[in-house]
């Protein structure tokens, strides 16, 4: 049996393959494009395309595709064969540099939010040489960016690459000020921890709500849920272990560094985390991971649910975005150093993140906003919708000492003159324990915990990179013009701590008292829903920051706001219609049948034994009849709410109506249905219950 080291990355046209298959001139030229972003000569592109094709064909590939990430949130591909006819009737396999560099997919059916007129059907895809090509099935996939002919970004990769570029540029300015003249690039890295549920296909198929919406819209709690905490890190069941084994193999072949896997808090819930890598590669890999999880699950008779809240009353699924920035020389800029100078630099980068997160809380909230994720945030299972930063006691004490110009009360008293005094060593292990914080410093990286499990991590990292680049830009402007570097630095850091200390919170983020304090005393934002936050994407400060850095144009921003709100409205409407349908076609008829049978039974008994009360049956008939009436009324109200949306033309207005009328009525309708489920005999109930589904995988 071959070992992991033999097949790791075997489906990837990575550096090893490039080095072995390309001439040294072509390799050097491609490497320069990858490392420094220089333009690629067409003759080089032809040579790379030829090598890529030969490599792929050798591995059984017959097609190639430009693989991209449109604004649907998933990936898209259109396959083209390598074959070309030869004069003698046979075929040859062809692939040119032009085909590698640029594609022209018919893009008219992808959301563009008005960026591309429908008559202008074509967009184009452009090769991203910084993310390696790979083989999936029998197709060579080439990671690409996707734009309209007018040059507008129609995807998530383009702005992500732009945000990495601006972060690089501004961070280098700072490093130069600290005397670092050797680093060539600063890159942000991400390790996303991915949560998901696994259930059997058999259960899934029987639930229209899961099939149409990805989550259950009805379902009473089973007698046993996650109360005992016996699933978290528990023994992995054989069916799940077999799935994980195959998933790892598939991911490893694609060069994805899947590292840890374990059971999560909820029954049937699991997590996978890869080793961190460059942000755009991590993004591509996370998209691939989600896709492959679903494919591998299907081969095992399972379904992988990536929805943020598949089951009410059971923890939902999120994604933790572990983020750091480092130089090409391997220096992590969020890691405290050993010398006073390194420490001052660390504190400066730390402060840029603090400032960025406070100034652009709304953008971070917007980056994770979907109808699905709205169910988790603030529901005591994920961070609240209020953003705050956790630093840990020690780092907090250091900042406090700087702010007040007082000695740091660590193990020994230290005066905190930046650039002169050595920072005390922080004990890293103690920094990672606050699980309730949306944005936690964990020793040498920040962990942003608000993402939903199905979110593309691109959005979060675009906003994070951009906001931090903006803080760095402001700091660099000041420091470059400072009379005395150290005094200016010290003052700037002090002022940042003073101005932005409201965003720092080391307590329990799930506590109601915190939400009150955050919003009422500290003035932090609390956008509970997608409908609340998304319109703020177009707030002047956000538009100014993102356009002046060149990460988005105004039109691109507006299109994203519209698409995200449209997605929100469409998802909720599909859910509402699915509920109405399930009630009329399945739930109400089932309860009625059960009630009728009970009534018949009771009257039959009474005919035989007139002195019997038959109170069990009659009481149940009465209760279920009351519930049926209530269900009918609540269904009518939901139908009315859906009809009430007709005529709204503005997407912001429609999303607000959905939030205020449709969603609350969905919750109201669910209550009598779930109650009825508990009172109805199992043989009559038309769907598998939560208990059946959550404990279905053996
Ligand atoms: P946990 O959060 O479960 O304690 P870790 O902190 O070890 O686990 O790692 C979680 C994720 O953070 C992993 O994907 C890991 O590769 C990633 N990670 C570790 N160091 C960094 C870093 N410097 N930058 C970005 N991600 C990192
Ligand atoms: Mg973590």
């Amino acid at each position: 049996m071959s070992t992991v080291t033999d097949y790791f990355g075997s489906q990837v046209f990575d550096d090893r393959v490039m080095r072995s298959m390309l001439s040294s001139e072509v390799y050097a030229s491609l490497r320069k494009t990858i490392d420094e972003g220089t333009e690629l000569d067409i003759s080089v592109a032809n040579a790379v395309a030829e090598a890529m094709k030969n490599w792929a064909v050798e591995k059984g590939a017959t097609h190639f595709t430009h693989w991209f990430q449109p604004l649907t949130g998933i990936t898209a591909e259109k396959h083209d064969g390598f074959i070309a006819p030869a004069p003698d009737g046979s075929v040859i396999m062809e692939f040119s540099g032009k085909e590698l560099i640029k594609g022209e997919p018919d893009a008219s059916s992808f959301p563009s939010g008005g960026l591309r007129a429908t008559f202008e059907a074509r967009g184009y895809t452009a090769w991203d040489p910084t993310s390696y090509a790979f083989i999936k099935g029998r197709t060579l996939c080439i990671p690409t960016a996707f734009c309209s002919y007018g040059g507008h970004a129609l995807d998530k990769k383009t702005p992500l690459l732009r945000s990495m570029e601006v972060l690089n540029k501004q961070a280098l300015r700072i490093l130069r000020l600290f005397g670092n003249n050797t680093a060539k690039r600063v890159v942000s890295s991400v390790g996303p921890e991915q949560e998901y549920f696994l259930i059997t296909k058999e259960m899934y198929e029987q639930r229209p709500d899961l099939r149409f919406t990805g989550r259950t819209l009805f379902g009473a709690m089973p007698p046993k849920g996650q109360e005992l905490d016996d699933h978290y890190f528990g023994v992995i069941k054989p069916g799940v272990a077999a799935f994980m084994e195959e998933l790892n193999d598939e991911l490893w072949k694609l060069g994805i560094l899947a590292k840890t896997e374990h059971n999560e808090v909820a029954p049937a819930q699991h997590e996978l985390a890869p080793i961190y890598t460059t942000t755009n590669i991590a993004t591509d890999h996370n998209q691939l991971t989600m896709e492959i999880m679903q494919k591998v699950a299907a081969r095992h008779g399972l379904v992988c649910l990536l929805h943020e809240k598949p089951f009410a009353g059971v923890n939902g699924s999120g994604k933790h975005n572990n983020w750091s920035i480092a130089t090409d020389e391997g220096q992590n800029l969020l890691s405290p150093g050993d010398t006073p100078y390194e420490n001052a630099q660390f504190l400066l980068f730390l402060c840029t993140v603090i400032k960025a997160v406070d100034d652009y809380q709304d953008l971070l909230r917007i980056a994770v906003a979907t109808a699905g994720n709205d169910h988790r945030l603030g529901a005591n299972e994920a961070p609240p919708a209020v953003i705050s930063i956790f630093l840990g006691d020690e780092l907090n004490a250091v900042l406090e000492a700087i702010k007040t110009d007082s000695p740091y009360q660590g193990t020994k008293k230290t005066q905190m003159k930046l650039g002169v005094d050595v920072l005390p060593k922080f004990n890293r292990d103690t920094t990672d324990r606050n699980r309730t914080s949306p944005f936690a410093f964990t020793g040498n990286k920040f962990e942003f915990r608000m993402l939903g499990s199905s979110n593309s991590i691109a959005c979060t990292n675009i906003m994070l990179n951009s906001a931090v680049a903006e803080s760095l830009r402001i700091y660099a402007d000041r420091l470059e013009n400072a009379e005395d570097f150290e005094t200016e630095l010290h003052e700037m850091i002090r002022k940042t701590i003073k101005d932005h200390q409201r965003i720092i919170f080391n307590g329990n983020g799930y506590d109601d008292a915190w939400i009150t304090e955050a919003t009422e005393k500290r003035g932090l934002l609390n956008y509970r829903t997608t409908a609340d936050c998304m319109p703020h994407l177009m707030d002047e400060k956000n538009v100014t920051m993102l356009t002046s850095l060149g990460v988005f144009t105004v039109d691109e921003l507006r299109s994203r706001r519209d698409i995200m709100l449209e997605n929100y409205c469409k998802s909720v409407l599909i859910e509402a219609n699915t509920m109405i349908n399930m009630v009329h076609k399945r739930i109400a008829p089932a309860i009625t049948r059960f009630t009728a049978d009970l009534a018949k039974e009771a009257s039959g008994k009474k005919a035989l034994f007139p002195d019997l009360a038959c109170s069990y049956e009659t009481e149940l008939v009465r209760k279920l009849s009351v519930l049926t009436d209530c269900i009918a009324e609540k269904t009518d109200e939901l139908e009315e709410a859906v009809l009430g949306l007709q005529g709204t033309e503005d997407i912001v207005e429609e999303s607000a109506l959905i939030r205020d009328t449709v969603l609350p009525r969905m919750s109201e309708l669910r209550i009598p249905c779930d109650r009825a489920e508990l009172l109805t005999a199992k043989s009559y109930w038309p769907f598998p219950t939560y208990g059946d589904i959550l404990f279905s995988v053996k």
Side-chain angles (χ1 to χ4, degrees), residues 193 271 320 322 432 435 445 447 449:
E193 298 164 67
E271 182 187 290
H320 291 174
N322 294 276
D432 195 16
R435 293 272 161 198
K445 64 183 192 304
E447 181 168 353
R449 300 182 174 134

Side-chain angles (χ1 to χ4, degrees), residues 189-193 271 273-276 320 322-324 332 432-433 435 442 444-445 447:
S189 295
V190 170
E193 298 164 67
E271 182 187 290
I275 297 172
Y276 70 100
H320 291 174
N322 294 276
W323 176 93
S324 70
N332 181 344
D432 195 16
R433 294 301 150 232
R435 293 272 161 198
T442 53
N444 61 359
K445 64 183 192 304
E447 181 168 353

Side-chain angles (χ1 to χ4, degrees), residues 202 415 581 641:
E202 191 194 345
Q415 192 70 35
N581 190 280

Side-chain angles (χ1 to χ4, degrees), residues 164-232:
M164 290 171 71
E165 201 45 54
V166 296
L167 181 67
N168 168 51
K169 185 172 150 201
Q170 301 303 334
L172 280 179
R173 283 177 71 194
I174 297 284
L175 289 182
R176 299 291 181 255
L177 286 163
F178 277 88
N180 179 337
N181 291 310
T182 48
K184 285 210 212 59
R185 274 190 91 74
V186 170
V187 178
S188 61
S189 295
V190 170
E193 298 164 67
Q194 174 75 48
E195 290 180 338
Y196 60 95
F197 278 85
L198 274 186
I199 63 171
T200 62
K201 186 152 190 294
E202 191 194 345
M203 294 297 144
Y204 175 84
E205 291 292 349
Q206 296 177 60
R207 299 279 315 206
D209 44 5
L210 280 177
R211 284 192 285 120
F212 294 140
T213 74
R215 74 175 178 113
T216 54
L217 300 166
F218 300 101
M221 279 307 291
K224 175 181 188 306
Q226 63 191 48
E227 304 75 4
L228 300 177
D229 282 332
D230 52 354
H231 190 253
Y232 190 54

